[in-house]
Amino acid sequence: MENPASALQFVHDRIAHACKIARRPVDDVTLVAVSKTHPAEAIVPLLDAGQRVFGENRVQEAHAKWPALREQYPDVSLHLVGQLQSNKADDAVALFDCIHSLDRPSLVKALAKAFDKAGKQVPCFVQVDVGEEPQKGGCPVAELPALLSQASAAGIPVIGLMCVPPHDIEPAPFFAFLDKLAADNGLDGRSMGMSGDYETAIMLGATHVRVGTALFGDRG
């Protein structure tokens, strides 16, 4: 794996290039460095290079790594990008600054309770099952309006939509679909695009790209 600072600069350059083509300001796009499965010592070089937004898939893994790192780098913003079990809602609210995987009514209820208990709110993306792949999680498209209404009624700050397109299929139509769904529902945020397709996602409206392998190499 190349120098982490070089990898970070490369990704930032590609983001800037995609924004230029799409005629978007580069600060429209937040790079979420997905550090799941990578140890703290692999994360520190990116922190030292200035990266401050990181994504983790699992509450327990994040809890093992990030409290100590945050003592050294208190301005980090930590995003949960993986599935969230309802029974982990309290822990997730305590640890994360943003949740990308709100996808069902039971989780709306669990998060609303956790917010009340913690006395804080965490902005959320609603994950949408754009490829009709139930095993991935995500709210079915037909159920999205109802879930957004439930989240609004529960006082959950939904800032956008998130998707994980089907593997090995051209992702552009799925990104375009999520962009339209977000626009139709008056939402500004679009969490879409990973290491292999973040430039395409940016050209189709992504506001948050979740990049792991291009920064860290293959998973540990």
Side-chain angles (χ1 to χ4, degrees), residues 3-204:
N3 176 306
S6 300
L8 180 63
Q9 187 58 54
F10 177 80
V11 171
H12 274 300
D13 289 347
R14 301 313 300 164
I15 289 172
H17 181 66
C19 285
K20 186 175 181 183
I21 293 171
R23 298 185 178 181
R24 299 176 62 193
V26 73
D27 57 7
D28 265 7
V29 179
T30 297
L31 170 61
V32 182
V34 179
S35 48
K36 65 181 183 183
T37 75
H38 296 285
E41 55 266 29
I43 298 169
V44 168
L46 286 181
L47 285 161
D48 287 342
Q51 178 64 22
R52 286 296 179 269
V53 184
F54 288 83
E56 290 283 345
N57 257 36
R58 298 176 186 278
V59 173
Q60 282 165 293
E61 184 188 343
H63 196 268
K65 292 191 291 202
W66 280 99
L69 286 170
R70 280 181 135 168
E71 285 184 19
Q72 294 174 268
Y73 305 90
D75 55 343
V76 158
S77 178
L78 196 56
H79 292 222
L80 179 65
V81 297
Q83 294 303 113
L84 176 58
Q85 296 170 299
S86 294
N87 64 359
K88 294 277 196 304
D90 285 355
D91 293 336
V93 169
L95 191 57
F96 289 96
D97 301 294
C98 186
I99 293 168
H100 289 238
S101 48
L102 176 58
D103 63 354
R104 59 195 187 278
S106 61
L107 190 52
V108 167
K109 289 179 185 170
L111 284 172
K113 277 187 189 171
F115 289 171
D116 284 345
K117 196 187 293 187
K120 72 180 249 199
Q121 289 189 315
V122 177
C124 295
F125 289 85
V126 168
Q127 182 175 349
V128 184
D129 180 14
V130 290
E132 299 183 352
E133 300 176 286
Q135 77 278 10
K136 271 189 182 171
C139 174
V141 173
E143 296 170 23
L144 179 60
L147 188 66
L148 289 172
S149 293
Q150 289 160 348
S152 176
I156 290 178
V158 173
I159 60 169
L161 302 181
M162 180 268 231
C163 73
V164 182
H167 188 52
D168 288 339
I169 300 179
E170 167 56 47
F174 298 99
F175 295 153
F177 183 43
L178 192 82
D179 180 59
K180 183 178 187 306
L181 284 175
D184 289 349
N185 287 283
L187 296 166
D188 292 331
R190 289 124 170 95
S191 171
M192 58 189 194
M194 296 189 283
S195 286
D197 53 26
Y198 63 91
E199 292 165 84
T200 301
I202 289 166
M203 290 183 217
L204 291 166

